[in-house]
Amino acid sequence: TGERTAVKAEPSRARVMAARGVPAEACVGQLVLPGDVLLLPAHPDEDSERLRLGAGAARRGRLLCGPGLRRSDAGLVVTKCGLLRHRPAGGGGGGAFWVDSQQKRYVPVKGDHVIGIVTAKTGDLFKVDVGGSELASLSYLAFEGATKRNRPNVQVGDLIYGQFLVANKDMEPELVCIDSSGRASGMGIIGEDGFLFKVSLGLIRKLLAPKCEIIQELSQLYPFELVLGMNGRIWVKAKTVQQTLIIVNILEACEYMTAEQRKQALSLF
């Protein structure tokens, strides 16, 4: 009597992942939580290889760390709640891991193509609203063929489609409307006509996927122009205002529709 028996509780999955870690490849497609530790696959021939960040820093056999993950000595530490995704190695690269999360506010990432709204002119720079925590800057020389004498005709309120040249937490985001060769490549001022609206970042990633069924089905309905920004903004222009609004309504609703429901909705037009 009076003796106490210690009962050892089974550790939860979250505690095990946070303490010891689990192989990253075993968690692909599963829900991961902030604080989880993901172990990278071992490469005996490349023990000296370390995880490198950045899209342009990939070398053979080296993995890339995408959004929602942070490098640590133990492996990868999850910083966002979502589904773990993996891009297999190929083309001389070692693949990549990232977390697919339903994030509301857009965080600028270098190389992302976004749709911005010009809010002000300050000297040789334009201030552009990209939906982030601060405005991005855009130089008048960051357009194809622009010179000190031949300046682009950019006005406050214009829509800009460009990509981030600089994007980190310690510096002001910087946009450009040219690629590395100095060509526009579809970037620049978006036409005055059309309709601009905002959707979730998850839907944007789905629409930008290769051979997206949603875009293919809509293209059979009406001819239209479409600009997709990684910041969740979409610009659409069809032949008539009615056709434009129909496409907008379908795009906004398709995030919550199954493929069968979407086909039934398209059959009504």
Side-chain angles (χ1 to χ4, degrees):
T1 61
E3 294 182 356
R4 295 182 179 179
T5 303
V7 178
K8 187 176 180 180
E10 288 292 331
S12 64
R13 170 185 173 273
R15 291 177 59 187
V16 171
M17 289 188 66
R20 294 181 299 177
V22 296
E25 294 180 347
C27 296
V28 174
Q30 298 182 9
L31 179 68
V32 292
L33 302 174
D36 290 349
V37 178
L38 305 176
L39 303 178
L40 296 175
H43 297 281
D45 298 335
E46 300 173 357
D47 290 337
S48 60
E49 297 271 331
R50 299 297 299 275
L51 183 66
R52 296 173 62 90
L53 302 178
R59 293 183 182 179
R60 185 176 180 180
R62 296 195 175 185
L63 292 171
L64 298 183
C65 176
L69 298 173
R70 178 171 54 83
R71 181 181 62 177
S72 71
D73 294 336
L76 298 178
V77 178
V78 180
T79 59
K80 293 180 182 178
C81 178
L83 300 178
L84 183 66
R85 302 298 187 188
H86 177 230
R87 184 186 66 202
F97 286 97
W98 72 94
V99 177
D100 189 1
S101 60
Q102 293 293 336
Q103 183 176 320
K104 291 185 177 181
R105 177 176 287 276
Y106 173 72
V107 178
V109 177
K110 182 179 178 180
D112 273 4
H113 288 75
V114 297
I115 298 176
I117 304 172
V118 179
T119 59
K121 289 183 179 181
T122 56
D124 296 336
L125 298 175
F126 303 102
K127 293 296 182 180
V128 183
D129 174 20
V130 293
S133 58
E134 60 179 327
L135 299 177
S137 62
L138 173 65
S139 173
Y140 73 92
L141 293 174
F143 292 84
E144 182 178 2
T147 61
K148 291 185 177 180
R149 291 186 178 182
N150 182 27
R151 297 197 175 197
N153 184 21
V154 180
Q155 303 297 328
V156 174
D158 285 349
L159 299 180
I160 298 292
Y161 180 63
Q163 67 174 342
F164 280 109
L165 181 66
V166 176
N168 60 61
K169 62 181 181 179
D170 300 319
M171 298 179 64
E172 180 185 40
E174 181 180 345
L175 280 173
V176 293
C177 292
I178 52 176
D179 57 16
S180 58
S181 303
R183 299 291 184 180
S185 300
M187 294 180 286
I189 303 174
I190 302 177
E192 296 181 358
D193 299 331
F195 190 90
L196 178 71
F197 63 104
K198 185 173 177 59
V199 297
S200 69
L201 302 182
L203 178 58
I204 284 291
R205 288 191 290 267
K206 186 185 298 183
L207 295 175
L208 286 172
K211 298 180 180 180
C212 175
E213 294 182 357
I214 300 173
I215 302 298
Q216 292 178 357
E217 292 171 359
L218 283 174
S219 62
Q220 298 176 1
L221 185 62
Y222 301 120
F224 62 91
E225 298 177 41
L226 183 69
V227 181
L228 301 171
M230 282 297 295
N231 55 342
R233 291 174 178 168
I234 300 178
W235 179 85
V236 179
K237 179 185 177 183
K239 285 186 177 181
T240 65
V241 175
Q242 182 181 7
Q243 292 180 1
T244 300
L245 293 177
I246 290 174
I247 295 172
V248 169
N249 291 331
I250 293 176
L251 286 174
E252 288 180 332
C254 67
E255 183 176 8
Y256 310 102
M257 291 172 127
T258 63
E260 200 170 312
Q261 291 173 339
R262 188 174 64 248
K263 290 180 180 178
Q264 291 179 355
L266 290 172
S267 64
L268 300 177
F269 301 101

